[in-house]
Amino acid sequence: MQIRKAMAEDLPIILDTYEIARRFMREHGNPYQWSDSGYPSVDLLECDIKLKQLYVLESDDGLEGVFMYNVGPDPTYHKIDGEWLNSEPYSVIHRIASRGRKKGVLRLAVDFATKFSKNIKIDTHEYNTVMQNALQGLGFKRCGTIYLENGDPRIAYQLKI
């Protein structure tokens, strides 16, 4: 699979990818994360594309996954109930989703991120055990709980290479 920056014309399949991910989460015991709130919104994804922070993973069969990647501080990570592994500069991965046709979307996104930063943060919902297990399998350490802008808690992870 190859990773490239998302383009506006990718938006319909990106939205479908997030719908597939929402369905997968509901089927695997996580009915709350990205529920029917329409998250991530079209406006947010368009902003990510404009800022060149949204990436897609493609195979010969087409788009397989999507994620937001940014180098630099994230406001939701300023305060944590727990402790980060360090206070060094970091990058973040958000809004990662797979169409479910190919394995390894998260691993490829993390491998991509480590080309730019050796300190990566990510978070997930407490009911998203599939993601929690995948993150731990990739060497991420559970650091505590962060809170989204709307106050919802998320389990915070960090990978230090």
Side-chain angles (χ1 to χ4, degrees), residues 1 3-4 11 14 16 50 54 59 66 80-81 84 87 91 97 105 113 120 147 153:
M1 279 192 279
I3 296 175
R4 66 167 172 81
L11 206 48
I14 288 170
D16 187 57
K50 183 179 176 183
L54 195 66
S59 73
V66 60
I80 185 170
D81 288 345
W84 293 113
S87 59
S91 64
V105 167
I120 302 165
Y147 296 90

Side-chain angles (χ1 to χ4, degrees), residues 4 17 20 26-27 51 53 63 66 72 89 104 118 124 143 156:
R4 66 167 172 81
T17 302
I20 290 168
R26 285 192 303 268
E27 291 169 357
L51 294 172
Q53 296 176 340
L63 193 142
V66 60
K118 302 301 181 199
T124 194
C143 295

